Amino acid sequence: MADNFGLNDVSKIKGLSEAEAAEKLARDGYNEIPSAKKRSFWAIAWGVIREPMLLLLIGGGIIYMILGDVREALMLLAFVFVIIGITLYQERRTERTLEALRDLSSPRAMVIRDGATKRIAGREVVRGDIIVLSEGDRVPADGVILAGNNLTVEESILTGESMPVRKIEDETCYEMSRPGGDNSPCVYSGTLVVSGLGIARILATGIHSEFGKIGKSLQKIEPEDTLLQKETRTLVRNLAVIGLGLSALVAILYGLLIGNWLEGLLASITLAMAILPEEFPVVLTIFLALGAWRISQSHVLTRRMPAIETLGATTVLCVDKTGTLTMNRMSVEKIYAAGEFFNINLNSLAAPPEKFHSLVEFSILASQTNPFDPMEKALKELGDRYQSLTEHLHSDWGLMREYPLSKQLLALSRVWKSPTREEYIIAAKGAPEAIFDLCHLSETEINRLSERIDTMAADGLRVLGVARAHFEPASLPGDQHEFTFNFLGLVGFADPVRQTVPDSIKECYQAGIRVVMITGDYPITARHIARQIGLNPSEGVITGPELHELSDEELRKRIKDVNIFARVVPEQKLRLVDAFKANGEIVAMTGDGVNDAPALKSANIGVAMGGRGTDVAREAGALVLLDDDFSSIVKAVGLGRRIFDNLRKAMAYILAVHVPIAGLSLIPVILKWPLVLMPVHVLFLELIIDPASSIAFEAEQQEADIMRRPPRHPKEPIFNRRTAVKSVLQGIGVLAVTLAIYGYNIQTGRGEFEARTLTFVTLVLANLGLILCNRFRKNTFIGVFTSKNVTVRWIIAATLVFLALVVYIPALRDVFDFALLHPLDWAFCFGAGLLCVLWFELTKLFSRQKANKLVSN
């Protein structure tokens, strides 16, 4: 179909017939993105329950039930159901990504069918339909403009750039081009008409549109498990196998060596409780849940809790320029008139001098009264800001005519009539070269003004020229060129950088995080923004067309020393993220538009903008910045590091404290001594271990140098060799002291109950020492007095009170098979408990001295 018509000939357009539209709808399907195949509730639930961590929790609950501790068993099992509920909720939210995309891509549409205009659901638009576009409409499908009048469309939902682009008509075009850039005849599904009118023919719907391509790529991307999830799963499985194997071995050895199979079974259950690491999954879940809450206090919403750990390990942060580094709001930055520049500061009360007032006046007169266009909004804001300019706003003037932009002349003029003057007043603005043409400037004047334009462009400004004319009452001419214009000056616009960004970039560099700018804007603008925010290096740029020519291997090499990517299209953002990941980087990607969704989903952690972000971006991201402030993500990185740091300390403590518990459950059996620990003793210890590991360590403040450390290696486990060896040595130290106390007292004939009491009290006090030692990387004793973590103090106080109760209350003492202790015994136990951890403090001191020597050298 190739009707020839203009905007004044809408009544002559027939469009498709209803029969033709129905036939195409039946053949091609609805204009929507097919949703991903949903998993059933039971499929999701079964996948959650099969997690080894949850199986361990269920197993722990069953063990407690067998032991008769119904309350503890029900608490564990209830916690299991809470975890399942949270996970199911998160899974359901994740599956809404494509649904949000489909809803956004199907607005209402004004179509012409059988010669009549009618509004239909966007999903019913078909290829070949003729649609009418007007200001404020969302384009329902991809198409080509057949006729237009000053039509500009905001395509940030696809390109990431907030500046509206001009559309031109081309009735002969039958093939879609790529989004982005001025003077294209194509419009795209989901984009917004900012100004003007247009008539378009639909060429692509549904999955064949630009929206459809994004939806298709989203379906192919599967989010990966984090390293912490994989590592914890492996650790829990291995310890569970070891614990169950040793427990069975203890039962058999006790029965064969001592002949008491019932006590052997009790010993094996005690050992299983001592080794089975039910704290690991609980600690991981609580840390991530409370971590998500803490991060939300910094205006960051966590959609997938395990991503918190990955955020703390981020090595590359890919940032979309518009709206992330900048305010996504155009403002007048600099004006030029009468041979002088004037820098605008809207925070200052100082208005531009009188010589600039006509320039501001006519730039506003050349704009819409209630503008959609960001530049016109900026001009209106400038006029409203200063009281001295109000006399130039002319609210009583009447608009007589508008001369729109055209392919031949990138300038528009608006004709006004003052109630107090006979003549017409014409205001024009547009591309500087177009305004030069209207003003018939000499070559010398153009060269002089071009130097000023270059100066403004070098500052990253978008420049418009402004002119005015007067016309005696008569029939207005058909072309702007027939007016006699006088050149007034130049207006430079900027999308200002967020004030917090430069400091946040510095903090990223101190933390060893590389910041990469990915933008659809021009290289010169990207470089200017890079210099403003302190991005290094700020000169090297790879453009979208260059990137397109690079092979995957070449791209992986080039991205190692380039941090600016300009004129990038959506598919290339995804390719860049994948290239960084292929280089072994942990990639965080910020974004807000539909175009960012595949990259957000593919990145190790996607960070969506909550304020201006689309539903699709928010659903695809693992984190959502509620205030759209770049500094919030840097705070989140610090919190992510704190969470992982404290999680490592907590897990190191759990491993350390389980060594003496397991040893005291196993070694006496081998040596044919009476049992030291029984299930009730292990349960008492669990009352200390559980809150200490899951609450006290989580509440620990971040250490001062946490954002001055390099990111940990992406493949470094939470239990690296150093951490594991340190924890085991700590545990062996406690085991050696407590075992020596028990053995000495048994051998010297003080009695089983007295030996058990002295050993257990020493073990509990050493346990408190392990808590304090593992909280601080540096001096523990200084940290105890300077730390604001009151939880630890409550745990220590409560432990000492309960320990005294089980020693001095006869009924409890009988349950624990304890003997009464005297003050000298308590002093001995405190000294032994201190000895258990003192050696570790000495190693900290030695390490600090060694580090200080290296720094001084």
Side-chain angles (χ1 to χ4, degrees):
M1 175 178 178
D3 300 298
N4 292 315
F5 51 78
L7 286 174
N8 296 324
D9 305 314
V10 174
S11 59
K12 300 178 183 178
I13 305 171
K14 298 299 181 184
L16 295 178
S17 67
E18 289 292 350
E20 288 174 320
E23 180 184 345
K24 290 190 175 188
L25 189 63
R27 184 178 69 241
D28 299 337
Y30 284 106
N31 175 37
E32 59 188 11
I33 310 301
S35 59
K37 185 179 179 181
K38 291 184 180 179
R39 290 196 296 161
S40 69
F41 172 87
W42 295 111
I44 297 173
W46 176 242
V48 174
I49 293 172
R50 285 186 302 169
E51 287 287 323
M53 291 188 293
L54 283 177
L55 290 176
L56 242 294
L57 282 175
I58 294 170
I62 293 172
I63 289 174
Y64 283 124
M65 191 74 76
I66 293 172
L67 294 171
D69 194 338
V70 178
R71 182 178 177 184
E72 188 74 18
L74 291 178
M75 187 181 300
L76 265 181
L77 293 174
F79 196 71
V80 169
F81 288 112
V82 170
I83 294 173
I84 292 174
I86 292 172
T87 308
L88 286 171
Y89 175 72
Q90 292 294 341
E91 287 266 359
R92 283 297 186 190
R93 283 181 59 85
T94 300
E95 290 192 353
R96 292 177 191 166
T97 300
L98 289 173
E99 293 179 19
L101 182 60
R102 182 183 61 200
D103 293 342
L104 188 59
S105 65
S106 185
R108 304 289 291 176
M110 181 72 75
V111 300
I112 302 176
R113 288 183 181 170
D114 292 320
T117 58
K118 58 184 298 188
R119 193 168 290 279
I120 63 172
R123 67 194 300 264
E124 297 175 4
V125 171
V126 298
R127 287 188 305 112
D129 255 330
I130 303 297
I131 61 170
V132 179
L133 300 172
S134 57
E135 195 171 280
D137 285 348
R138 197 168 287 280
V139 181
D142 293 1
V144 62
I145 299 298
L146 304 178
N149 182 0
N150 195 28
L151 183 66
T152 61
V153 179
E154 198 249 71
E155 297 180 344
S156 65
I157 202 168
L158 288 172
T159 65
E161 297 306 318
S162 59
M163 280 300 302
V165 292
R166 293 184 299 275
K167 295 298 177 181
I168 60 172
E169 56 193 63
D170 187 349
E171 298 179 29
T172 63
C173 179
Y174 286 87
E175 184 175 340
M176 297 298 298
S177 60
R178 300 310 309 275
D182 289 320
N183 300 325
S184 166
C186 298
V187 289
Y188 304 92
S189 176
T191 59
L192 182 68
V193 178
V194 171
S195 64
L197 296 169
I199 297 173
R201 180 195 299 115
I202 299 302
L203 298 183
T205 61
I207 202 167
H208 303 290
S209 68
E210 289 297 313
F211 252 72
K213 294 171 186 175
I214 294 171
K216 201 170 183 180
S217 62
L218 274 175
Q219 286 178 309
K220 295 178 181 177
I221 302 170
E222 292 295 332
E224 303 173 3
D225 285 343
T226 68
L227 296 174
L228 184 56
Q229 286 176 303
K230 297 173 184 176
E231 184 186 348
T232 305
R233 190 178 295 126
T234 302
L235 179 65
V236 168
R237 184 189 65 230
N238 293 343
L239 288 178
V241 171
I242 293 171
L244 293 173
L246 287 176
S247 299
L249 181 62
V250 164
I252 295 170
L253 287 174
Y254 205 93
L256 292 175
L257 296 175
I258 300 176
N260 191 330
W261 290 95
L262 186 60
E263 284 197 11
L265 179 60
L266 183 63
S268 69
I269 292 175
T270 303
L271 183 60
M273 293 177 63
I275 295 180
L276 286 178
E278 73 266 19
E279 297 97 350
F280 282 125
V282 174
V283 164
L284 178 60
T285 304
I286 290 178
F287 262 70
L288 295 180
L290 290 178
W293 173 80
R294 291 188 187 282
I295 287 180
S296 71
Q297 305 305 297
S298 296
H299 307 291
V300 180
L301 174 66
T302 305
R303 292 196 59 255
R304 287 190 285 277
M305 288 190 292
I308 296 171
E309 171 261 337
T310 314
L311 180 63
T314 299
T315 58
V316 173
L317 177 55
C318 296
V319 187
D320 189 48
K321 175 184 71 69
T322 303
T324 307
L325 300 175
T326 64
M327 298 290 291
N328 195 27
R329 176 179 56 82
M330 299 300 291
S331 64
V332 178
E333 189 89 358
K334 181 180 289 189
I335 53 179
Y336 174 82
E340 290 185 22
F341 284 110
F342 183 81
N343 293 316
I344 300 292
N345 181 3
L346 294 178
N347 296 320
S348 170
L349 296 176
E354 182 67 33
K355 66 173 67 175
F356 295 96
H357 286 194
S358 292
L359 171 62
V360 175
E361 173 187 10
F362 277 83
S363 65
I364 295 171
L365 286 172
S367 305
Q368 298 289 330
T369 307
N370 295 303
F372 274 83
D373 184 89
M375 286 187 176
E376 294 188 347
K377 283 183 178 180
L379 290 168
K380 186 176 187 299
E381 181 184 10
L382 177 62
D384 293 341
R385 176 67 181 83
Y386 300 111
Q387 189 174 3
S388 61
L389 296 175
T390 53
E391 63 183 271
H392 299 278
L393 299 184
H394 310 300
S395 58
D396 59 335
W397 286 16
L399 180 65
M400 309 305 295
R401 182 172 174 178
E402 180 174 296
Y403 295 86
L405 292 165
S406 66
K407 288 186 289 185
Q408 293 75 28
L409 185 67
L410 299 179
L412 62 85
S413 298
R414 306 187 91 209
V415 181
W416 296 90
K417 185 70 171 65
S418 166
T420 60
R421 300 169 64 177
E422 289 296 322
E423 61 182 359
Y424 293 115
I425 301 98
I426 302 95
K429 67 176 172 62
E433 58 272 18
I435 297 298
F436 296 164
D437 184 23
L438 286 176
C439 296
H440 305 292
L441 299 182
S442 68
E443 188 173 343
T444 302
E445 290 175 306
I446 291 174
N447 290 337
R448 179 176 55 83
L449 290 171
S450 295
E451 292 178 2
R452 307 299 184 271
I453 294 169
D454 291 341
T455 300
M456 298 172 81
D459 291 335
L461 304 181
R462 298 175 185 244
V463 184
L464 289 182
V466 180
R468 68 179 170 194
H470 300 276
F471 191 77
E472 293 297 330
S475 58
L476 290 168
D479 188 87
Q480 299 177 72
H481 278 287
E482 297 185 38
F483 295 114
T484 303
F485 281 103
N486 295 314
F487 183 77
L488 293 177
L490 303 168
V491 182
F493 299 83
D495 184 359
V497 168
R498 291 180 180 271
Q499 292 183 352
T500 56
V501 168
D503 288 340
S504 298
I505 295 287
K506 287 180 184 176
E507 194 170 358
C508 284
Y509 288 154
Q510 289 175 350
I513 300 171
R514 179 181 172 189
V515 182
V516 173
M517 182 198 301
I518 302 176
T519 178
D521 214 333
Y522 292 95
I524 187 171
T525 306
R527 284 195 189 97
H528 177 74
I529 295 294
R531 287 191 291 269
Q532 279 187 295
I533 64 176
L535 191 70
N536 289 314
S538 61
E539 296 304 318
V541 178
I542 295 178
T543 64
E546 289 175 313
L547 193 152
H548 180 72
E549 298 299 323
L550 295 174
S551 67
D552 290 343
E553 186 175 349
E554 290 172 331
L555 179 60
R556 288 177 58 182
K557 292 179 182 177
R558 288 288 305 279
I559 61 175
K560 290 181 179 180
D561 54 8
V562 175
N563 288 336
I564 303 174
F565 298 86
R567 305 304 290 166
V568 170
V569 296
E571 292 83 354
Q572 292 174 329
K573 291 185 179 182
L574 175 60
R575 191 178 170 210
L576 282 170
V577 169
D578 290 341
F580 280 117
K581 287 171 64 179
N583 280 348
E585 306 283 2
I586 296 294
V587 183
M589 165 76 184
T590 66
D592 60 350
V594 173
N595 63 302
D596 294 324
L600 288 173
K601 195 173 180 183
S602 179
N604 298 101
I605 179 161
V607 186
M609 300 295 137
R612 69 180 187 282
T614 61
D615 289 342
V616 179
R618 287 192 292 267
E619 291 291 336
L623 299 180
V624 179
L625 294 187
L626 300 178
D627 58 0
D628 289 2
D629 191 339
F630 178 75
S631 64
S632 294
I633 192 175
V634 181
K635 293 177 185 175
V637 169
L639 286 169
R641 290 190 174 191
R642 166 192 165 177
I643 292 164
F644 184 81
D645 205 29
N646 289 343
L647 183 58
R648 171 176 274 173
K649 293 173 183 177
M651 290 191 167
Y653 158 72
I654 292 170
L655 182 59
V657 78
H658 273 272
V659 171
I661 297 174
L664 289 173
S665 301
L666 178 63
I667 294 175
V669 175
I670 298 173
L671 298 176
K672 298 183 181 181
W673 290 348
L675 294 178
V676 184
L677 300 178
M678 291 178 287
V680 67
H681 301 120
V682 178
L683 287 174
F684 183 95
L685 290 167
E686 290 293 335
L687 290 177
I688 306 170
I689 297 170
D690 286 346
S693 59
S694 59
I695 299 176
F697 278 97
E698 193 284 329
E700 197 62 50
Q701 296 296 311
Q702 71 184 41
E703 299 195 32
D705 65 342
I706 199 165
M707 285 298 281
R708 293 194 294 274
R709 307 177 201 163
R712 67 186 176 88
H713 192 275
K715 294 183 180 180
E716 179 189 344
I718 191 168
F719 271 116
N720 55 24
R721 182 176 299 176
R722 180 180 178 183
T723 303
V725 169
K726 180 190 75 173
S727 297
V728 171
L729 287 177
Q730 281 182 307
I732 290 174
V734 176
L735 175 60
V737 172
T738 53
L739 197 60
I741 292 172
Y742 187 66
Y744 175 79
N745 283 278
I746 289 292
Q747 296 300 322
T748 56
R750 292 190 67 177
E752 176 186 331
F753 285 9
E754 190 171 356
R756 178 180 293 115
T757 309
L758 288 169
T759 303
F760 186 78
V761 170
T762 302
L763 177 61
V764 170
L765 295 175
N767 182 13
L768 297 179
L770 287 175
I771 294 171
L772 296 177
C773 281
N774 283 283
R775 285 172 60 208
F776 308 105
R777 292 170 64 243
K778 297 181 180 179
N779 193 294
T780 294
F781 301 105
I782 295 175
V784 168
F785 295 105
T786 59
S787 173
K788 299 178 181 178
N789 189 350
V790 296
T791 309
V792 172
R793 296 171 191 169
W794 279 107
I795 289 173
I796 292 174
T799 300
L800 294 176
V801 169
F802 282 116
L803 190 58
L805 291 176
V806 299
V807 171
Y808 289 110
I809 295 179
L812 292 175
R813 191 165 64 238
D814 292 341
V815 171
F816 280 78
D817 288 340
F818 281 170
L820 189 65
L821 291 185
H822 303 290
L824 194 59
D825 296 324
W826 281 100
F828 172 77
C829 291
F830 270 108
L834 182 63
L835 180 64
C836 289
V837 296
L838 187 60
W839 70 270
F840 185 62
E841 287 302 305
L842 294 176
T843 62
K844 286 185 182 179
L845 179 62
F846 176 75
S847 297
R848 286 200 305 276
Q849 289 175 345
K850 186 178 179 181
N852 291 336
K853 285 182 180 178
L854 289 174
V855 171
S856 61
N857 292 336

